[in-house]
């Protein structure tokens, strides 16, 4: 149980385009989902906390207009990287919090490469 | 400031050998501490979780210890295998209304044949 999926697993796009990444909790309801970014040889960095039905809370230094987060249901959150640039190339990981528990379950990650 | 630091930054060992990874934290008030294994290009997978009152927790060849007084934790890997090559991340949660994790810098382990 407690499986989190991400789609796509890998995406390559041209500079200036927008990319949408999906995060799904497959067998549980997640009131809170988290989005992380991980650069090579570094640990995960929290970008934003997403609560179902409300606006996401962004960490300091993360542009909310660039990284659009939608958490429309208890099993799906999406991260859209708008007008992507090469510096946005990174490994994006989501996690889902099992309602009522202080436990995050991580997705397998999405590798974004912006040319 | 809540911080989690790990050492060593990287480690190379021979297959079959044991190793111990260290984690020091300054998170307060402390809720729990987790060790994760992250294979390259994959999301983190939980190995162990310990609360304030727990001193040790095992998961197969992985044994984690916790000293809440000194705010230190260790992850001991016994009889290492090639598949243990990965990054090991120490994650601490604070007692708060949110479920935010504070991530350590990670230790990159390489097991050689």
């Amino acid at each position: 149980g407690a499986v989190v999926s991400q789609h796509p697993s890998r995406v390559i796009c041209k500079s200036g385009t927008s990319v949408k990444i999906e995060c799904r909790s497959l067998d549980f309801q997640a009131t809170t989902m988290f989005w992380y970014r991980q650069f090579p040889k570094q640990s995960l960095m929290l970008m934003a906390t997403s609560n179902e039905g409300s606006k996401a809370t962004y960490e300091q230094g993360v542009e909310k207009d660039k990284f659009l987060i939608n958490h429309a249901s208890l099993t799906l959150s999406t991260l859209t990287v708008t007008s992507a640039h090469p510096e946005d190339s990174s490994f994006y990981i989501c996690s889902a919090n099992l309602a009522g528990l202080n436990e995050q379950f991580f997705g397998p990650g999405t590798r974004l490469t912006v040319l | 400031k809540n911080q989690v630091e790990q050492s060593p930054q990287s480690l190379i060992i021979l297959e079959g050998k044991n190793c111990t990874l260290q984690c020091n934290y300054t998170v307060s008030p402390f809720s729990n501490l987790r060790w994760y294994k992250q294979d390259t290009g994959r999301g983190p997978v939980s190995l162990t979780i310990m609360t304030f009152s727990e001193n040790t927790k095992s998961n197969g060849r992985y044994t984690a210890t916790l000293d809440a007084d000194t705010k230190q934790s260790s992850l001991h890997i016994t009889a290492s295998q090639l598949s243990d090559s990965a990054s090991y991340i120490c994650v601490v949660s604070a007692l708060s209304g949110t479920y935010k994790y504070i991530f350590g810098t990670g230790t990159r382990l390489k097991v050689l044949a």
Side-chain angles (χ1 to χ4, degrees):
Chain A
V3 177
V4 176
S5 70
Q6 283 185 238
H7 178 79
S9 59
R10 188 182 295 265
V11 57
I12 301 172
C13 68
K14 292 182 178 180
S15 184
T17 60
S18 294
V19 175
K20 179 185 283 188
I21 302 170
E22 292 186 349
C23 176
R24 293 181 185 272
S25 56
L26 298 185
D27 49 2
F28 66 100
Q29 293 185 334
T31 52
T32 304
M33 288 184 170
F34 301 86
W35 286 96
Y36 296 87
R37 181 166 50 182
Q38 186 177 32
F39 292 106
K41 297 186 179 181
Q42 295 186 22
S43 195
L44 282 71
M45 293 174 54
L46 181 64
M47 299 175 66
T49 303
S50 167
N51 291 298
E52 185 266 336
S54 63
K55 290 184 178 180
T57 301
Y58 291 81
E59 294 299 299
Q60 192 173 11
V62 178
E63 300 175 58
K64 63 179 181 181
D65 294 329
K66 181 170 182 63
F67 299 99
L68 301 178
I69 292 173
N70 183 282
H71 192 163
S73 78
L74 287 172
T75 60
L76 173 65
S77 176
T78 60
L79 168 68
T80 301
V81 183
T82 62
S83 186
H85 288 93
E87 58 265 31
D88 297 324
S89 298
S90 188
F91 193 53
Y92 291 86
I93 303 173
C94 74
S95 70
N97 173 258
L98 186 56
L101 290 181
N102 183 3
E103 182 78 40
Q104 291 183 34
F105 298 93
F106 290 89
T110 296
R111 171 74 60 192
L112 170 62
T113 302
V114 184
L115 302 177
Chain B
K1 182 180 178 182
N2 290 330
Q3 285 186 313
V4 179
E5 295 185 351
Q6 293 183 242
S7 63
Q9 189 174 34
S10 62
L11 182 63
I12 300 174
I13 61 174
L14 294 177
E15 186 179 16
K17 298 296 185 181
N18 305 333
C19 67
T20 301
L21 314 180
Q22 301 291 341
C23 173
N24 297 327
Y25 62 92
T26 59
V27 178
S28 182
F30 171 86
S31 176
N32 55 60
L33 184 147
R34 296 173 169 86
W35 282 93
Y36 284 89
K37 177 186 179 186
Q38 185 180 22
D39 292 312
T40 301
R42 305 292 297 174
V45 175
S46 180
L47 294 176
T48 63
I49 175 173
M50 289 181 291
T51 60
F52 181 87
S53 60
E54 295 178 291
N55 300 120
T56 184
K57 185 70 71 75
S58 291
N59 178 1
R61 294 181 296 103
Y62 302 103
T63 300
T65 65
L66 174 64
D67 186 334
D69 292 330
T70 61
K71 297 186 177 180
Q72 295 179 326
S73 176
S74 67
L75 180 69
H76 186 75
I77 304 175
T78 304
S80 61
Q81 300 176 358
L82 297 179
S83 59
D84 292 333
S85 296
S87 288
Y88 291 85
I89 306 173
C90 175
V91 180
V92 180
S93 295
L95 265 177
S96 69
T98 67
Y99 300 124
K100 282 188 180 180
Y101 283 5
I102 301 165
F103 288 81
T105 48
T107 293
R108 296 169 64 86
L109 174 66
K110 180 80 171 176
V111 181
L112 300 177

